[in-house]
Each structure stands twice: as C-alpha cells, then as structure tokens.
Amino acid sequence: MAIIGVVGLGNMGSMIATIVAKETANTLLLANRTAEKAKKLAVSLEATAVTNREVFEKTDIIFIGVKPNQIQELLEENKYILQKRESILLISMAAGVTLEQLQSMTDTRHRWIRMMPNTPLEVAEGVISFSLGKKATQQDKEVFLQLLQSGGTVIELPESQIDAATALAGCGPAFVYIFIESLAEAGVSMGLSRGVALQLATQTVKGSASMVDETKEHPAVLKEKVCSPGGSTIAGVITLEQTGFRSSVIEATRRAKQRTEELGQ
C-alpha cells in the first residue's frame, strides 16, 4: 500500500485524484491553496485533506497539479523537507516545464515523471502522455500505469515529443468542442431544435472517431467513402478546403505547442 498525494486541485489535479482514488488499497492525501476545495473533494473520494507540507512529509508519490509558474515556488517552500527524505516519486503536470528543470528544483535523489493529461479523463476516454526522468525506475513506470490506466490511453513518449502531444491531445478537445458546437449551430440554422442538433453533432463526432479507431483505416480513406461523386458531402468538403479549415486546425495546434514551450520558460 502506498501513500499518494495530490497538490493542486484544479481541473486536471482533481481528475487525477479521482482516478487515483479508484485504487482503494492506497491512502490518498489532497492539498490545495484553497483548503475548502481539498476538504470537499476529499469527502467525495474518501481521501484526507491536508496541507502542502503534510503531503511532502508523508507521501511516497506526489502528483503536482499547480500551474507552471507556481511549481518552483512550491518546491522551494518544501525544499528542506525533501532534503531530509529518502527518494520519492514526483509527478509533474506543469505544461512546458522540462524534466531537467524539475530535477534542478529538488535534491537529485528524488525521481521525476513528467505527464500531460487531458479533460476526457473525466469520462475514462482521456489521453495521458508521459516521460520518465533519469532516476525514475521501471517499477515507477508500472506503478504510474497502474494508477492511471483506468482514465483512458496512457502513452510513453520521448520528452522531446511531450509538448507536441500536449498541443494535440491536451488542447485538442477544445478544438473538437468548437467543431461540435459549429455542427450543431448549422443544424439550428436549418431548422433543427438545439437539442436534436447537438445530439446529432455529438454522436456524429463520436461515431466517426470510433470508425477511425476500430477500422484502423486512415481518416482520408474513410472520408473518401462518404464523398459520393457530385454529392452533397464533397460539396461541403470543398467548402471546408476553400475556407482553410484544415490549415486552421494545423496552425492552431502548432500555436498551442509554441505557447506550451513559452509557459515552461
């Protein structure tokens, strides 16, 4: 049985805590700048609300969910506690902050994993990309996978690819939500009720994603199967191409990666 802590209970930190809580054999300690938030979540997860200091003093594994510009301050505040402890596993969700930067903020005997989750974790359809630090062990990796695999897809990547994965999978849901919203608005403009339009748009995106996943066919091939010669679908596809839909998605994702890199500086 491990004692696990989560510091920083924003959207991502709270979702990670919820997933970790499913492993009932472990003890879970929660800490947040607003103590009431930690207490409320602790009740629902059958965890214990504590201070940041207590998390650093008592836990074997710490998920750190604070913002990139707050992580150095947090680690500095608990520097002397970490200096007195044996090696523990620290897991960062701070976008853009590299393993080298993280390791430089703590005593070198501590192990680091850098991870980036996305919001569909809430419905067990998320993506978590991660990279191991130099001191992290195979056992650390196995424990990490065991704790988080119920949230969706967990994929190990070279750290050089984590920012790109953050832009695509971390930011991507927002782009998909805009697309669903736009499809639904189009439906409303053509006379469908908002409820029906949103239901149709949501299921269309969900079903299309499942087709890509289950058939393993390239999206371009699946697209061609919908586009009958001279039909309505190809007419719509041409309009998307003419208005820069494809290039807008690519550029938005590339800009998101650039901003991720900026956040770590």
Side-chain angles (χ1 to χ4, degrees):
M1 183 178 77
I3 304 175
I4 301 170
V6 181
V7 177
L9 299 171
N11 291 336
M12 291 301 183
S14 295
M15 280 188 281
I16 292 299
T18 301
I19 294 169
V20 170
K22 296 176 183 178
E23 297 291 328
T24 54
N26 299 309
T27 298
L28 181 61
L29 305 183
L30 306 179
N32 192 65
R33 179 170 292 184
T34 305
E36 285 303 315
K37 187 171 186 178
K39 292 177 182 177
K40 183 176 180 180
L41 185 60
V43 169
S44 67
L45 299 182
E46 298 184 356
T48 303
V50 297
T51 64
N52 288 351
R53 181 183 180 88
E54 288 176 286
V55 169
F56 280 91
E57 287 177 337
K58 299 177 179 179
T59 58
D60 309 302
I61 301 169
I62 305 176
F63 288 89
I64 301 176
V66 301
K67 295 178 181 178
N69 63 354
Q70 297 172 335
I71 192 166
Q72 185 167 6
E73 179 184 355
L74 174 70
L75 294 171
E76 186 65 31
E77 288 174 353
N78 295 280
K79 178 179 179 180
Y80 294 108
I81 297 172
L82 290 172
Q83 286 177 344
K84 295 175 183 177
R85 296 205 58 188
E86 296 298 322
S87 176
I88 65 173
L89 179 60
L90 300 162
I91 303 169
S92 169
M93 292 175 258
V97 182
T98 67
L99 286 166
E100 182 178 3
Q101 290 172 306
L102 293 166
Q103 191 68 70
S104 71
M105 297 176 194
T106 59
D107 191 289
T108 55
R109 65 176 171 271
H110 297 303
R111 295 113 58 208
W112 279 98
I113 293 177
R114 180 183 172 193
M115 66 176 285
M116 181 50 60
N118 70 3
T119 56
L121 288 173
E122 186 172 348
V123 292
E125 292 287 353
V127 175
I128 297 173
S129 55
F130 74 98
S131 293
L132 300 178
K134 291 181 180 179
K135 295 293 181 70
T137 65
Q138 181 64 28
Q139 183 178 1
D140 291 331
K141 176 180 172 179
E142 291 172 2
V143 169
F144 178 83
L145 292 172
Q146 179 185 0
L147 289 173
L148 298 177
Q149 62 188 356
S150 66
T153 298
V154 185
I155 179 169
E156 183 177 8
L157 294 172
E159 192 186 13
S160 61
Q161 297 179 9
I162 287 289
D163 287 342
T166 299
L168 196 158
C171 305
F175 309 156
V176 176
Y177 299 146
I178 291 172
F179 180 60
I180 292 173
E181 182 184 25
S182 299
L183 278 179
E185 288 296 309
V188 172
S189 76
M190 295 182 291
L192 296 175
S193 70
R194 288 193 176 276
V196 168
L198 184 57
Q199 182 182 10
L200 292 174
T202 301
Q203 184 57 42
T204 297
V205 171
K206 182 179 180 181
S208 300
S210 294
M211 283 284 288
V212 175
D213 185 42
E214 293 182 19
T215 67
K216 307 303 179 187
E217 292 192 89
H218 193 280
V221 173
L222 293 173
K223 178 199 69 178
E224 291 304 314
K225 290 182 177 181
V226 187
C227 294
S228 302
S232 54
T233 305
I234 190 62
V237 167
I238 290 171
T239 300
L240 288 177
E241 297 290 4
Q242 289 175 335
T243 55
F245 176 78
R246 186 191 302 264
S247 60
S248 292
V249 173
I250 293 170
E251 191 56 36
T253 308
R254 290 170 62 87
R255 178 65 185 96
K257 177 179 182 289
Q258 182 184 352
R259 181 56 183 156
T260 299
E261 294 168 341
E262 294 169 356
L263 288 171
Q265 296 174 358

